[in-house]
Amino acid sequence: MAAARRRVSVGLGLAGAACALLGVCLLLVGPLIIKEQVVKNVRIDPSSISFSMWKDIPVPFYLSVYFFEVLNPKEVLQGAKPMLNQRGPYVYREFRYKTNITFHDNDTVSFLEYRKLFFQPDLSNGSEEEYIVVPNILMMGAAVMMENLPNFVKLLLSGALAGLKQEAFMNRTVGEIMWGYEDPLIDTINMLIPGLIPFKGKFGLFIEFNNSNSGLFTVNTGMKNISRVHIVDSWNGLKKVNYWRSSECNMINGTAGEMWPPFMSPTSLEFYSPDACRSMTLVYEQSGKFKGVPTYRFVAPKTLFANGTDYPPNEGFCPCMQSGIQNVSTCRQNAPMFISHPHFYNADPALVNAVEGLHPSKDQHALFLDVHPMTGIPMNCSIRLQLNLYIKQVSGIIQTGKIKPVVLPVLWFAESGSIEGSVLKQFYTNLVLIPSLLDYLQYIFLGLSVPLIISAAVLMATSQVKLADEKCSLFWSSNKKNSDSNKANQAASAKKLPPVKGMVLQEARL
């Protein structure tokens, strides 16, 4: 019985030692295996898992547009506070794909990314044929741009505007405002002040957004240095832009906004946005999970659109007004345009109070990115921005009436998307589940080794005790037999009885 126990304890001990060895090996080698798999699958290489996701983004992106209808345009012309009513959303399915993909010898790749938008009536609250009263962006923008020109030029333009029946506010359809409308004012402005607006034909806020690209990006592939993957090397051949007043503000930092280098830390991320004409930095807010995938959430800091007074590094984006809006006139043909968070979220309360109808909310108006930190791939995102027009009374242009200076919201939009379906399943299996299994196995083996080794030690100890007990039993049993035999002989001798067999043998020998 003791021998069997010893054999079992030896077997358990060997199994425990093997588990401990495997656990230690996985503890040392596992992270290297996981890192190798991640590196192999996230770099920009036709053989990597993420390459097809990068080339033809399978994530269903949606562009949701909300317009601010001006309810009291006549009163605004007399100096009243604008009253706004949010209309929408008008939702568009967005398809993104890359063309002109060219790999270079210096570990970079160039590409053009195109966007195609298709209206989704079933997801929208309204149609593209609906009419909305909004500021006449061309006319009011041109008026502010011409404020410092000689009075006779402004009077000339004002007469032309009257002849063209142009007014400070216009009533046009959603489709016209989005995708363009023909306006004789464009030809008039080009004739009177050549170069003031560098376009001809139709004018629309999103006319250059559909069926167009966002410029030629050249980014690092990560083949030689994975920490540089997706980092922008140049945009349209530029290492920095020239829109702003400081070198820091003109820098092209971070990625193109699609993916980031793997093994992220919970600090911040950067990307260059051609739509905003600048690089943006988002900061870490919290950790979470998206459909089982661990994520870091990054959000815009309050300083993103702060003015130079509240945040000195933003001085290069000035001339500034209140905090919370950024002047983008230098990259929008000098039109008095500003970008901000929707409903002036995180902005100076004076901007919200200057109009009626705004209700800033973090849940509805803050932008966010949920990124899988191990791979740097976004799982869920919503980039929300608002377009604003600065309007005011301009002397010499009677169409501007007595409008008080105000940054007037025109519209805000959200570009949202999340990984789902077969793409999510493939991503989860290859880049989350398998690495997690390798990670857990090391602890499982180490955890198993402890009870196995303890069990082996206990069995070995109990087998030793059992063996000792058996020896003691044999010893005491033998002594008892000898003692009983001696007592019997003594009793026989006292009674002069024949000796027991042992005594007979002794006498026989004698």
Side-chain angles (χ1 to χ4, degrees), residues 404-418:
K404 289 185 178 180
V406 63
V407 179
L408 186 67
V410 177
L411 63 84
W412 71 271
F413 63 90
E415 280 191 284
S416 307
S418 60

Side-chain angles (χ1 to χ4, degrees), residues 6 15 29 49 82-83 87 109 158 174 176 188 202 250 252 263 305 330 361 368 371 382 400 412 451 465 480:
R6 284 199 301 273
V29 180
I49 291 176
M83 297 180 63
R87 298 272 297 273
V109 58
S158 182
V174 171
E176 287 177 324
T188 302
K202 288 186 176 183
N250 279 320
I252 297 176
F263 317 114
F305 297 131
T330 54
S361 161
F368 69 86
V371 185
S382 185
T400 60
W412 71 271
V465 171
K480 188 174 185 302

Side-chain angles (χ1 to χ4, degrees), residues 132-431:
I132 296 180
V133 177
V134 294
N136 187 335
I137 300 171
L138 266 179
M139 196 213 81
M140 294 301 296
V144 173
M145 292 165 66
M146 297 173 58
E147 184 178 15
N148 295 323
L149 292 180
N151 283 332
F152 78 91
V153 176
K154 290 187 287 186
L155 288 171
L156 187 63
L157 178 61
S158 182
L161 292 174
L164 296 172
K165 298 182 179 180
Q166 294 284 332
E167 297 181 353
F169 295 91
M170 63 183 185
N171 188 18
R172 292 193 177 272
T173 67
V174 171
E176 287 177 324
I177 301 170
M178 289 280 294
W179 311 120
Y181 56 89
E182 293 183 353
D183 194 328
L185 178 59
I186 296 175
D187 296 330
T188 302
I189 294 175
N190 283 329
M191 180 181 67
L192 294 176
I193 312 171
L196 185 67
I197 52 174
F199 59 87
K200 297 179 181 179
K202 288 186 176 183
F203 171 77
L205 293 176
F206 285 79
I207 196 168
E208 295 183 357
F209 197 83
N210 196 10
N211 293 317
S212 62
N213 64 76
S214 52
L216 181 68
F217 274 99
T218 301
V219 303
N220 287 271
T221 63
M223 296 298 290
K224 297 177 182 177
N225 184 357
I226 195 62
S227 66
R228 297 286 299 166
V229 66
H230 299 295
I231 299 296
V232 176
D233 180 71
S234 66
W235 175 73
N236 283 339
L238 302 172
K239 297 289 185 179
K240 59 170 59 179
V241 295
N242 58 358
Y243 301 128
W244 315 111
R245 296 166 50 184
S246 72
S247 178
E248 182 180 358
C249 292
N250 279 320
M251 291 177 66
I252 297 176
N253 297 324
T255 72
E258 297 173 336
M259 299 178 184
W260 282 265
F263 317 114
M264 302 176 72
S265 59
T267 52
S268 63
L269 60 77
E270 290 183 296
F271 64 96
Y272 178 73
S273 169
D275 297 325
C277 309
R278 57 166 289 187
S279 295
M280 293 189 180
T281 300
L282 305 186
V283 296
Y284 170 81
E285 183 185 55
Q286 63 185 15
S287 298
K289 285 191 175 181
F290 176 77
K291 297 183 179 179
V293 180
T295 59
Y296 285 165
R297 170 159 288 193
F298 295 91
V299 298
K302 289 185 177 181
T303 56
L304 183 63
F305 297 131
N307 61 22
T309 302
D310 290 348
Y311 187 61
N314 280 356
E315 183 65 35
F317 294 121
C318 292
C320 299
M321 297 180 71
Q322 297 95 331
S323 268
I325 56 175
Q326 182 186 321
N327 190 337
V328 292
S329 59
T330 54
C331 69
R332 289 290 179 267
Q333 293 84 47
N334 292 318
M337 305 297 293
F338 292 78
I339 59 172
S340 66
H341 295 300
H343 285 244
F344 293 132
Y345 171 71
N346 265 352
D348 189 322
L351 292 164
V352 179
N353 296 330
V355 298
E356 294 286 345
L358 298 185
H359 308 284
S361 161
K362 178 181 179 181
D363 291 338
Q364 298 181 43
H365 305 132
L367 63 83
F368 69 86
L369 278 169
D370 290 337
V371 185
H372 181 226
M374 183 179 290
T375 60
I377 296 176
M379 296 288 102
N380 184 31
C381 68
S382 185
I383 304 300
R384 300 160 176 167
L385 292 174
Q386 180 169 294
L387 190 63
N388 311 281
L389 178 68
Y390 178 60
I391 62 174
K392 60 181 293 188
Q393 176 186 357
V394 177
S395 63
I397 300 181
I398 60 174
Q399 286 79 7
T400 60
K402 299 177 181 178
I403 297 175
K404 289 185 178 180
V406 63
V407 179
L408 186 67
V410 177
L411 63 84
W412 71 271
F413 63 90
E415 280 191 284
S416 307
S418 60
I419 292 182
E420 58 185 37
S422 60
V423 177
L424 176 64
K425 184 177 180 180
Q426 182 188 28
F427 177 90
Y428 183 82
T429 301
N430 291 282
L431 298 177

Side-chain angles (χ1 to χ4, degrees), residues 62 89 91-93 118-127:
Y62 292 92
V91 182
Y92 298 83
R93 174 71 163 90
F118 298 90
F119 185 63
Q120 305 292 298
D122 55 321
L123 300 178
S124 302
N125 183 24
S127 70

